[in-house]
Amino acid sequence: MPVISVPYAFNEEQLYVDLRSIFGQSLFLKCEGFNFAGSIKLKAATEMVETAERHGVLTPNSILVESSSGNLGVALSMIAASKGYRFLCVTDSRCNLSTRLMMEALGSQVHIIAGQEANGGFLGARIEYIRALCASDDRYVWLSQYTNPSNWQAHYRKTAPEIARQFPHLDVLFVGAGTTGTLMGCARYFREWHRPVHVVALDSVGSVAFGGTPGRRMIPGLGMSIRPPLLDESYVDEVIRVEETDTIRACRRLARAGFLFGGSTGTVVSGAMGWLARHDARELTAVAIAPDLGERYLDTIYQTNWVQDLYGEDVLNPDTVTAASCPAARPGPPVRSPRPQPGPQRHEHDAQAQAASGNRPRGGSW
């Protein structure tokens, strides 16, 4: 049995759910929510903090500060409490109430940015607030999950090898795109693997991570209001954009089968099931990553009034929620056949690939 002395020492890495009985398509869902931080963000948070410690950036007098929509903030709160650091999480109104309360229970401060930008996002305002803090007091250390290479390196070293050990004949991998740390770490690893793996990124409609028109996004986790600095599109074979209504339907359908997952998981599952339904996937081994569980979404995705107020009465129509297959996402045209072929491929957009920088980020961060 595991015996630990610090909370970040435990993470369940071998748990998968086969979704065939729920959705009619075989998809192995890697469950990353079983640790004391409750999400996959524990890996990136641990890697970023330990790297900063090795470089001598973090000292006993340091005050950690980070922009987060929720899960990374919880992970850093837990690590900061364990290691004795002070931590300030800068978030916005989309952050779930239970997530904010959890960070505060762990001893962190939470600052909520109220001003929304013209593109419907909050990220720019959050970052400007952090930069002003760092300029005013050199005790603040901004890890900058959006530019920090330790973000994707955590998944290159841990998440991707965990999948590879369990599925040596993996064909297709579905990964949600936020900062793209998980996506880039896994995609880089499987590009170097012994067999080609078709990497599909799942993004939210309204996100501009891969280009497109910005729009309202009310479910935290996936999606960005700017292009992710860590993103290198040359490692991504295909992008699927998922409507938030489809995210909600997928989450609620999973809940009806006894699995309470978070919003990011609903987006990934919805998009993956749409992809599998459009392709002959009977002989493909497909894996998707579920970043977190659903308890933190009880007052949003699983709260009927919240859903109907934002998305209308029809979104929870029983015939829609329990349909034979998940609602189709908004795909981009695939750049590979369903059976992966060797060799690098470009993603459907023509935006210039931007490799993750190994340099320390600027603007008050280390």
Side-chain angles (χ1 to χ4, degrees), residues 115-306:
Q116 198 167 16
E117 299 160 284
N119 63 4
F122 294 89
L123 181 56
R126 284 168 18 193
I127 290 175
E128 285 306 311
Y129 182 85
I130 291 175
R131 284 180 171 158
L133 273 181
C134 293
S136 68
D137 190 334
D138 60 9
R139 291 179 301 169
Y140 284 102
V141 175
W142 179 25
L143 297 175
S144 185
Q145 63 165 322
Y146 310 105
T147 58
N148 194 325
S150 292
N151 186 345
W152 68 261
Q153 288 166 359
H155 303 288
Y156 181 91
R157 295 197 310 108
K158 296 179 180 178
T159 308
E162 290 165 6
I163 296 170
R165 283 193 293 270
Q166 298 299 321
F167 297 93
H169 301 291
L170 178 66
D171 293 305
V172 187
L173 179 65
F174 299 95
V175 188
T179 65
T180 68
T182 307
L183 174 65
M184 286 293 96
C186 291
R188 279 185 163 88
Y189 180 90
F190 285 111
R191 177 62 61 83
E192 302 167 0
W193 207 36
H194 70 92
R195 61 182 278 118
V197 174
H198 192 77
V199 176
V200 182
L202 289 307
D203 197 12
S204 300
V205 170
S207 165
V208 300
F210 296 90
T213 304
R216 183 187 74 166
R217 291 180 293 112
M218 299 303 298
I219 300 173
L222 300 187
M224 291 276 281
S225 58
I226 63 172
R227 178 184 173 81
L230 294 178
L231 176 61
D232 183 340
E233 292 184 69
S234 67
Y235 289 93
V236 180
D237 300 306
E238 192 171 348
V239 175
I240 296 175
R241 295 179 176 85
V242 178
E243 295 277 4
E244 288 192 332
T245 51
D246 291 338
T247 293
I248 293 166
R249 289 168 183 146
C251 284
R252 287 181 168 241
R253 187 166 175 192
L254 286 162
R256 280 170 169 75
F259 294 104
L260 197 71
F261 283 107
S264 298
T265 300
T267 300
V268 171
V269 169
S270 178
M273 287 301 168
W275 190 96
L276 293 169
R278 292 189 298 273
H279 297 85
D280 183 3
R282 288 171 294 180
E283 297 182 2
L284 294 180
T285 298
V287 171
I289 297 176
D292 60 2
L293 301 179
E295 291 91 341
R296 297 172 192 175
Y297 301 82
L298 292 177
D299 56 350
T300 54
I301 288 173
Y302 298 102
Q303 215 289 322
T304 298
N305 289 339
W306 185 88

